[in-house]
Structures are given as C-alpha cells and as structure tokens.
Amino acid sequence: MAKRVAVIGAGVSGLSSIKCCLDEHLEPICFERSNDIGGLWKFTETSKDGMTRVYKSLVTNVCKEMSCYSDFPFQEDYPNFMNQEKFWNYLKEFAEHFDLLKYIQFKTTVCSITKRPDFSETGQWDVVTETEGRQDRAVFDAVMVCTGHFLNPRLPLESFPGIHRFKGQILHSQEYKMPAGFQGKRVLVIGLGNTGGDVAVELSRTASQVFLSTRTGTWVINRSSDGGYPFNMMVTRRHHNFIAQVLPSCILKWIQERHLNKRFDHANYGLNITKGKKPKKIVNDALPTCILCGTVTIKTSVKEFTETSAVFEDGTVEENIDVVIFTTGYTYSFPFFEEPLKTLCTKKIFLYKLVFPSNLEKTTLAMIGFISLTGSILAGTELQARWATRVFKGLCKIPPSQKLMAEAMKKEQLIERGLMKDPGVDKADYISYLDDLASFIGVKPNIPLLFIKDPRLAWEVFFGPCTPYQYRLMGPGKWDGARNAILTQWDRTLKPLKTRTIPGSFKPASTSHYLKAWGAPILLASLLLIYKSSIFLKLVPEKLQDRLSP
C-alpha cells in the first residue's frame, strides 16, 4: 500500500509537493485553509482571514523561463514578468494539467501535527484538522509543510520610541492592497526590501509625498539587462557561477559594484550600503526615477516618533506624517507543532539542507519552501519536494539525527561567539543550492558527458541561463521535453515582445554574445584554476618525496 503523505498548504510549494508525491507513487492529501489554490498569489481585497496575499500591482521579480516548474513551461505568449493574475493562472494550469485538485481539501485548517507513540519505529504522525467546525484525526506516514514564511507579520513597534503616541495610521505591508485611500497623504514606508520599494513607488503616484526609510541601503536591479533581455537569464548561468567560485571575492565584489553603479550612482541617490552592513539587492525599475523626480525621498532610520512627525537618525524631521507602513518582513510560525520541534523548525541552522529537522529519528517530516535564494524560489521548492519524496521512500538517505544535531549545535555555538556567519540569514546561491539537492537525487546535469554526447545542448546548459529544465535532463524524473525546452527558451522569451514584426530582426545569439562578453573573465578564471592546480600537483610529489626520503 502506498504511503500516505500530508501536504500542508496548496500554494506554489504545496502544488509541486502533491505532484512529486504522485510521481513517486505516494498518496498525498493536501490541506488548504482557504477556498482556492495559489496561497500568497491568490489576490483578495482584504486580509481578514489572516493570510498574507500579494498586493494588486505586484509583478514577478524573476522571469518566466527561470521561475517555471521544471516540466511545465509557461505558454509562449505569457509576458516575461507577470502580474498576480497571470502567475495565478499559470498555477491553475499546472494544477489542472497534472490533475492535482482532487487531492486538496479546501477550507481545512491543520490544528496539530504530533508524533505517534511508536514514531521511533514507524515515523508516523497524527494530524488533526478542522473543516467548518468539525475536527478530524488521521494517521500519515510522512508530512510536507508548505505554508511558506509569510505567515506572521513582523511589526517591531518596540524598536521605535514614541510610536504609541503617533496619531496617524499604522499598518504592516500585509494589509496593503492598492493605493486607493492614500491620495494626498504624506506616507512613511519603513524598510527597503522588494516590498518596501514597490509600495513606495506605487504610492508616489497618488500620495503627496512618500518617505522611504532604510537602515542599510540596497543595490537596485532592473528586470531588464543590457540589450533589454531579462536580467535573470543573463546573470544566472553556470559559467558565471564558475567564475564567482574561482575569482577572489574582492575582485568579484568590485566588478559587481562597478556594474550596478553603471546605471546610476547609488551613493548620489542615498541608496549605497551602510559601512559594515551586509549587501542586499532589490528588483525595482522605477525607484531611481521616483527619487530623481522627488516623489520618493530616501531617509535614514527612524530615531523616534512624535504625535505627528518622525525624527530620523541624521537629525532631520518630517512633519505631518499621515501614514506609516512597516515593510519589515515576517517571522516563521508553526502553531501546529509541539515543542521542541516548533522552536527548532524556526531556526534554519537546524534544518538539514533547509528541509529536514535535525532532531527526528525518522526522516518523515520535510519543510518545503522555507528558503531564500538568489534566484527563483519556485525552482528551489520543487527540487526540495523531489528530494523529500525520495527520502520518504527510502531511495535517498540522509545522515542520522545524532550527527545532524551535533553539527547544528556546534555551528550555533560558533555563530553565537561570532566565529561563523549564520547561513540562514543570507540568501543561498541559486545554482549551488539547486545543484546540491540535485546531486542527492541524481539529476544534476553532467556537463562533461553532455559535451561529448550533445555539444549543442551542453553549450546552452553551461553558457546559457540555468533554467529549471536542466534538472529534468537525466536521472529520476527525467522529462523527454527538457532538451527541447532548453533549446527553445529564447523563443518563448522573445515571443511576447515581438508583437510588431520588423523584417530583418534577429534574436540574440545568446551563447556567442556572452562568449565574447565573458571570454576574458573565463580565460582568467581558467588560468587561475590551472595555476592553483599546478601548485597542488607540484606540492604533492614534494611532500611524498619528503616522506619517502628517510
């Protein structure tokens, strides 16, 4: 009999988890507390149900070819960057194509997930759910938590003296839906992440003035790169990743900063990174223009509030503030777990490869989607689900819990003593993380073998965009359409742009163009690698000789 798997949430991660269960002949039952799929991407005009939803004007930050399910490309006429409705339509198409809806129980809240008395032997879980006031209890062989990390709004009012005296409106970005109601108001947005930038730009078109407060500053990236092609497709490439690993970090940092300041000098716009703070990036096409036009004013951290004004760290004061919007993120929350599992799962360092809790004797619980990547989260969560379902079946193994807990606790001590950076704070490198998971499953592309068997494909895989299709070329879950999807990815990219056909127009020679652009860096990186290897090869015989001489 197939193992029963409880999938909590029917958003981006939940849908891929259901499909991955079916691919591995497991029996999924998905519990979704709302009345539809899509999770975060299902727009509603209010947040009364306590669920975080996207604001109406949201546009994806990662282009369609880089953020699709690996065996289900977007339709070719879909725009490269989509609004909420288009992306939700894609999720719906995915669910219908693979017949996933029949495995979902809507309007069902998960009340508790607890170990069975014989968990150390069976790895089974008791799951209590509630549907329209009626509770049910069921036993599952495994659980996949796909609730995402946009559950509990982080509203750090205690960090802002005088905020309780402030007479204006205070809200978290979770409550923000559209600019209606902000006409003519003076708005202060606190926090400069992707959401803070988006909200500030949109409100600048209706509010009388928008102030955007940031503690650290940020690098601002466009959705389009040189030539007008999607930025993600130009940057997220294996040969770039190779260069980043070989080049000294100081040189790499200098190259990146020089490129980012080429569009506009961040220091002149008040956006440069504060000294000593870790660098971060946001995607926003309009923020520099809004600053240039004066509709958005960049400010330092807020020192304190009065009844009607905000006092900033640099001593400046902005009077007559009507609204303060906190875009200060979210905190992890797992109310259905018991301690110590509840607390442990909120610490990424105790999640093996950001998926499996380290303290469980049986690996039958997977946390899907609790990641921050430099690329598409969707692609990352899908590989997590593919790996987790194979672990559930015993086809992939992970180290024993004693070893995982010992390693995690050692790292935690080093972090507390300041001897190690917390890996859960920074975004994980997209290609490195996906390749790591793919190697466990056996689906990581074998580049040298590809160059021998299929040079054209290998060229696109190594020098072209690292699209999710690459993880369907070989191994378990291989998709026959993966090769064609890779070779036609630029056709789907350019299709929605060419609505006016011009005779003699041409599509980008992506490989040759970037070989010219990156030929010198690749050559330099290769020489460095050869140099390091030659030193190693020289040292080995010398060391052996020293040992053999006596």
Side-chain angles (χ1 to χ4, degrees):
M1 188 173 71
K3 290 185 176 181
R4 301 179 75 223
V5 181
V7 178
I8 318 301
V12 169
S13 304
L15 293 175
S16 61
S17 295
I18 297 170
K19 179 183 177 295
C20 290
C21 284
L22 297 174
D23 290 343
E24 294 296 339
H25 307 291
L26 300 171
E27 183 185 336
I29 299 177
C30 177
F31 303 110
E32 168 56 47
R33 61 174 174 165
S34 72
N35 61 357
D36 211 336
I37 64 168
L40 182 75
W41 288 94
K42 178 63 177 178
F43 175 77
T44 58
E45 292 190 0
T46 64
S47 299
K48 291 181 180 178
D49 57 1
M51 295 182 67
T52 302
R53 312 282 192 173
V54 296
Y55 35 94
K56 187 67 176 174
S57 62
L58 183 67
V59 176
T60 56
N61 289 333
V62 183
C63 64
K64 66 177 182 180
E65 290 301 304
M66 302 296 295
S67 61
C68 64
Y69 292 111
S70 57
D71 55 355
F72 192 71
F74 280 90
Q75 295 179 31
E76 62 176 10
D77 60 345
Y78 268 44
N80 285 282
F81 295 94
M82 284 154 286
N83 60 21
Q84 166 271 327
E85 186 177 5
K86 280 283 186 183
F87 191 81
W88 184 80
N89 284 340
Y90 170 74
L91 298 179
K92 185 178 179 182
E93 291 165 6
F94 175 78
E96 291 174 350
H97 179 80
F98 292 105
D99 199 17
L100 307 180
L101 297 176
K102 64 183 179 183
Y103 300 97
I104 305 173
Q105 294 183 15
F106 292 106
K107 295 183 179 180
T108 301
T109 302
V110 175
C111 303
S112 67
I113 302 173
T114 54
K115 296 178 182 177
R116 297 272 293 166
D118 56 353
F119 179 84
S120 58
E121 297 176 6
T122 64
Q124 292 182 325
W125 300 85
D126 277 323
V127 178
V128 177
T129 59
E130 183 175 308
T131 308
E132 298 179 348
R134 177 176 53 84
Q135 284 198 347
D136 289 309
R137 181 185 297 270
V139 177
F140 288 91
D141 300 296
V143 176
M144 302 176 81
V145 178
C146 309
T147 52
H149 50 255
F150 295 101
L151 289 178
N152 288 343
R154 181 175 173 271
L155 197 60
L157 299 181
E158 67 283 353
S159 300
F160 296 88
I163 189 68
H164 297 293
R165 301 199 309 268
F166 180 66
K167 292 184 176 180
Q169 183 183 4
I170 299 173
L171 63 152
H172 189 274
S173 55
Q174 184 197 48
E175 303 170 72
Y176 178 80
K177 298 299 176 183
M178 53 188 69
F182 293 89
Q183 290 89 345
K185 294 187 177 181
R186 290 167 60 83
V187 181
L188 170 61
V189 178
I190 296 179
L192 181 49
N194 282 311
T195 300
D198 285 349
V199 171
V201 166
E202 183 169 57
L203 287 179
S204 71
R205 302 184 185 110
T206 56
S208 65
Q209 184 61 49
V210 175
F211 304 98
L212 181 53
S213 170
T214 173
R215 289 182 300 125
T216 61
T218 188
W219 295 109
V220 181
I221 298 172
N222 257 19
R223 287 181 174 84
S224 63
S225 67
D226 296 342
Y229 305 117
F231 179 82
N232 319 107
M233 295 184 74
M234 299 313 208
V235 173
T236 312
R237 299 181 173 220
R238 291 186 177 277
H239 73 279
H240 289 182
N241 206 50
F242 170 75
I243 293 169
Q245 292 176 356
V246 175
L247 283 180
S249 58
C250 57
I251 295 177
L252 189 65
K253 181 182 177 183
W254 177 79
I255 293 172
Q256 290 174 341
E257 290 185 1
R258 188 168 177 270
H259 178 75
L260 289 168
N261 274 325
K262 195 173 181 180
R263 180 187 168 209
F264 71 95
D265 190 321
H266 285 64
N268 291 340
Y269 284 66
L271 293 169
N272 53 314
I273 305 294
T274 305
K275 190 175 181 180
K277 299 292 184 180
K278 66 175 184 177
K280 66 175 185 176
K281 300 173 184 176
I282 67 168
V283 178
N284 198 300
D285 301 303
L287 182 59
T289 303
C290 289
I291 297 172
L292 199 62
C293 296
T295 55
V296 173
T297 301
I298 301 297
K299 305 293 292 186
T300 60
S301 301
V302 175
K303 182 179 180 181
E304 63 177 327
F305 283 94
T306 69
E307 291 183 348
T308 60
S309 63
V311 181
F312 297 89
E313 292 288 351
D314 60 2
T316 59
V317 180
E318 295 297 343
E319 303 283 355
N320 302 319
I321 301 296
D322 298 300
V323 184
V324 177
I325 302 177
F326 284 87
T327 61
T328 43
Y330 297 80
T331 58
Y332 293 115
S333 174
F334 307 102
F336 37 73
F337 284 147
E338 292 181 316
E339 294 292 0
L341 186 60
K342 179 189 291 187
T343 300
L344 199 75
C345 287
T346 62
K347 299 180 180 180
K348 289 185 178 181
I349 199 168
F350 285 97
L351 293 177
Y352 179 61
K353 301 299 180 182
L354 304 177
V355 177
F356 292 103
S358 302
N359 67 329
L360 298 177
E361 313 95 293
K362 297 288 184 178
T363 51
T364 56
L365 173 64
M367 314 298 289
I368 308 298
F370 297 92
I371 50 175
S372 294
L373 295 178
T374 56
S376 168
I377 300 297
L378 184 149
T381 60
E382 184 187 30
L383 263 180
Q384 286 183 329
R386 290 175 67 184
W387 179 40
T389 50
R390 291 186 66 78
V391 170
F392 294 160
K393 289 193 69 175
L395 299 174
C396 295
K397 302 291 183 182
I398 70 171
S401 62
Q402 298 90 337
K403 182 179 179 180
L404 294 180
M405 281 298 293
E407 290 178 353
M409 292 180 71
K410 184 179 179 180
K411 289 179 181 177
E412 188 178 43
Q413 291 173 357
L414 292 173
I415 292 169
E416 289 175 353
R417 291 161 58 187
L419 300 175
M420 177 182 173
K421 288 185 177 180
D422 188 347
V425 173
D426 296 329
K427 289 186 175 183
D429 179 73
Y430 175 78
I431 294 179
S432 300
Y433 182 71
L434 265 62
D435 276 358
D436 198 18
L437 298 187
S439 63
F440 297 145
I441 308 170
V443 298
K444 180 182 175 181
N446 187 330
I447 308 296
L449 183 62
L450 274 180
F451 268 110
I452 295 171
K453 295 175 62 177
D454 194 337
R456 183 189 174 197
L457 176 63
W459 189 270
E460 284 295 334
V461 168
F462 187 70
F463 290 104
C466 185
T467 44
Y469 319 123
Q470 293 191 10
Y471 300 101
R472 291 284 183 180
L473 287 170
M474 55 190 67
K478 178 182 177 182
W479 175 45
D480 291 338
R483 181 183 187 275
N484 183 63
I486 293 171
L487 297 180
T488 58
Q489 57 198 9
W490 281 108
D491 296 333
R492 288 187 300 278
T493 299
L494 295 179
K495 173 70 174 178
L497 303 179
K498 293 193 172 185
T499 54
R500 172 177 169 258
T501 306
I502 304 172
S505 62
F506 59 95
K507 65 182 180 181
S510 59
T511 50
S512 61
H513 172 78
Y514 280 91
L515 188 60
K516 291 177 183 177
W518 286 91
I522 292 172
L523 179 60
L524 176 61
S526 301
L527 290 173
L528 283 171
L529 190 62
I530 293 169
Y531 174 70
K532 290 181 179 179
S533 300
S534 64
I535 293 175
F536 172 76
L537 292 171
K538 183 180 178 182
L539 287 174
V540 169
E542 289 178 358
K543 293 292 183 183
L544 287 173
Q545 185 65 36
D546 291 342
R547 293 195 174 203
L548 291 172
S549 294

